[in-house]
Amino acid sequence: MAKVGVLIEIENGEVKETDLGVLTAACKGGGNEVFAIAMQENTDAAASVLAEYGVNQIVQVVTKGGDIKGSPDFETRILAEAVKNFELNALLGLASAKGRDLFARLAAFMDVPLVSDCISIDLDAKTVRKSHFSGKTVATLKVESELMLCTIRPNAIEAQTMPVQAQTVVFEAQAADPGLTKITDVKQSTGGKVDLTEAGIIITGGRPIDSADNYKMLDECAAQLGESTAVGASRAAVDAGFAPHSMQVGQTGKTVSPKLYIGCGLSGSVQHFAGMKTSKVIVAINTDKDAPIFNKCDYGIIADMYDVVPVLTQVLKEQSD
Ligand SMILES: Cc1cc2nc3c(=O)[nH]c(=O)nc-3n(C[C@H](O)[C@H](O)[C@H](O)COP(=O)(O)OP(=O)(O)OC[C@H]3O[C@@H](n4cnc5c(N)ncnc54)[C@H](O)[C@@H]3O)c2cc1C
């Protein structure tokens, strides 16, 4: 039985939904001892969810050494201390903005290799899978270090409940803030309420969206598809000024892995697919029956998106009323 730590991201008192898949990977059907490391003093609201997803120990970090949220270097040192204190064999986290930043710092600080953005993980074999060359190949990598340090692509691993008795452990970290960097301001992206990389459903508009204003049609549909839905854009739409770059999906945009990806007016370019090909179900709406996207999707609708999307929105609205 391995001891596996998971860095938990808590927002407004709630565990991020995308963390639940990471917990599923960590507990491996109950075969491992799972430590949820929460960098905050109060984890009460999150405790029941963590226990539902296989966490044995909820590690609540307390410190007198500085402000955890304001200093990623300080957070790194606390994490390193927790890894040693709980004698963890692996530490996992989300390949989110926070995870990508912290795990890279931790790898450098502990001098341990990091595998980022994994799409699956085998903790017994110490192997991970991740996509390479803009999604053209998937590599299986063997981790040779004693400690496995990995970030997991949001939504790549399906969350499964594994109810256990969880206990909360207060961990008083001794580390001090080295004062190297300080977060002074956090700005939310303008691309929408839900972060594209963590959205459960994405509806994307391509070049024929034709104006920034027409994204309202997709926003309205997204509102009916549920609160974990985000709206994306192709590079053609971004380059034309219809959407900000923060909404771009693809090789030079964001890499996403939602449960459902609805592409409206996308031709299906390799560069766009590089960013969303690991989506669980892909639906394409395109007027051209020969569009390449129809060879790569699970469901194809040969129709005008301006006809289909409003009908979809209306049907979803009627179902929820
Ligand atoms: C180095 C490099 C990096 C790139 N990175 C990215 C990236 O990150 N993301 C990205 O998206 N692209 C990227 N691209 C660009 C990419 O090659 C394509 O040009 C782009 O993805 C095309 O966008 P599109 O599908 O919206 O537009 P188009 O290719 O113009 O396709 C529009 C599609 O909409 C259909 N259509 C037209 N009207 C309607 C309608 N009313 N209803 C339904 N369907 C309709 C058409 O039949 C057509 O198939 C990159 C290119 C390069 C060279």
Side-chain angles (χ1 to χ4, degrees):
M1 178 186 273
K3 287 180 162 189
V4 184
V6 176
L7 176 68
I8 297 295
E9 295 185 35
I10 297 178
E11 275 183 355
N12 305 321
E14 287 186 20
V15 177
K16 265 193 184 177
E17 213 181 312
T18 41
D19 258 331
L20 304 180
V22 183
L23 289 174
T24 297
C27 72
K28 217 182 150 271
N32 291 326
E33 189 179 3
V34 179
F35 295 72
I37 301 175
M39 290 290 180
Q40 54 195 89
E41 294 191 5
N42 193 340
T43 52
D44 294 354
S48 58
V49 174
L50 294 173
E52 189 69 18
Y53 284 87
V55 172
N56 307 97
Q57 314 260 3
I58 302 168
V59 179
Q60 200 170 291
V61 175
V62 292
T63 174
K64 294 193 181 82
D67 166 27
I68 303 181
K69 285 197 183 118
S71 168
D73 290 310
F74 183 35
E75 207 167 346
T76 301
R77 280 155 178 77
I78 292 174
L79 263 182
E81 202 179 316
V83 167
K84 288 199 180 119
N85 185 77
F86 295 102
E87 297 173 335
L88 300 179
N89 305 106
L91 182 69
L92 312 180
L94 277 173
S96 58
K98 184 185 174 73
R100 283 196 303 267
D101 177 42
L102 261 190
F103 274 69
R105 288 174 193 275
L106 187 63
F109 183 70
M110 296 187 77
D111 198 16
V112 170
L114 164 68
V115 199
S116 53
D117 204 27
C118 305
I119 53 173
S120 71
I121 181 163
D122 183 334
L123 289 159
D124 292 337
K126 291 185 91 169
T127 56
V128 295
R129 286 168 67 245
K130 60 173 284 171
S131 61
H132 273 187
F133 306 115
S134 299
K136 288 191 190 73
T137 59
V138 173
T140 301
L141 307 180
K142 172 103 176 135
V143 178
E144 300 283 1
S145 57
E146 210 172 301
L147 173 70
M148 260 183 111
L149 209 53
C150 307
T151 60
I152 312 280
R153 182 177 292 184
N155 295 317
I157 298 170
E158 199 169 327
Q160 282 163 12
T161 54
M162 171 58 60
V164 289
Q165 287 285 339
Q167 67 173 52
T168 299
V169 187
V170 176
F171 173 59
E172 208 173 323
Q174 301 304 311
D177 185 352
L180 299 171
T181 41
K182 196 162 187 58
I183 297 173
T184 53
D185 193 13
V186 177
K187 288 197 173 120
Q188 292 295 331
S189 83
T190 52
K193 287 186 213 113
V194 182
D195 185 347
L196 263 181
T197 59
E198 299 192 32
I201 301 177
I202 294 175
I203 181 162
T204 293
R207 195 192 305 269
I209 198 80
D210 243 9
S211 73
D213 215 40
N214 283 343
Y215 272 102
K216 279 190 197 142
M217 176 177 79
L218 302 189
D219 288 337
E220 282 166 18
C221 191
Q224 298 304 322
L225 284 164
E227 57 182 28
S228 79
T229 307
V231 177
S234 70
R235 179 162 162 178
V238 171
D239 285 351
F242 306 150
H245 183 258
S246 58
M247 281 171 66
Q248 186 180 316
V249 174
Q251 187 180 324
T252 45
K254 289 188 172 153
T255 303
V256 300
S257 198
K259 292 178 193 119
L260 173 62
Y261 192 91
I262 307 174
C264 309
L266 297 175
S267 54
S269 67
V270 284
Q271 292 89 357
H272 191 83
F273 261 72
M276 43 61 79
K277 67 186 294 184
T278 53
S279 304
K280 304 283 174 303
V281 175
I282 299 171
V283 177
I285 306 169
N286 196 306
T287 43
D288 178 5
K289 68 174 175 42
D290 298 318
I293 198 164
F294 286 133
N295 297 323
K296 304 174 185 174
C297 65
D298 298 286
Y299 299 94
I301 304 169
I302 305 165
D304 191 319
M305 66 188 200
Y306 291 99
D307 294 332
V308 177
V309 176
V311 172
L312 176 62
T313 308
Q314 186 57 34
V315 170
L316 290 166
K317 201 160 184 264
E318 282 167 14
Q319 280 181 358
S320 66
D321 284 345

